[in-house]
Amino acid sequence: MADFVGLSRTSVATAYTRMRQRGLIRTGRSYVAVLDMAALEALAEGGDPGGGPGGD
């Protein structure tokens, strides 16, 4: 995934961790399941999907 989007593995792992903690996604060995599409879209558009001030 990191190579595909041109990011480091560390930055992708950090983003996945934050999205899992917020309940936006669930990940497994070979999948990513979207649990809250509206919140994920808000995050992608630069909004705050309920993470509070500053995101964390």
Side-chain angles (χ1 to χ4, degrees):
M1 175 70 81
D3 288 339
F4 182 73
V5 295
L7 299 171
S8 71
R9 288 182 181 186
T10 302
S11 62
V12 170
T14 300
Y16 271 9
T17 297
R18 289 179 180 167
M19 288 185 280
R20 279 194 306 268
Q21 290 171 341
R22 291 180 176 190
L24 305 180
I25 63 170
R26 180 176 61 234
T27 60
R29 186 177 180 123
S30 61
Y31 72 92
V32 176
V34 176
L35 304 176
D36 188 340
M37 181 62 81
L40 192 58
E41 288 173 345
L43 181 63
E45 293 173 359
D48 182 5
D56 284 338

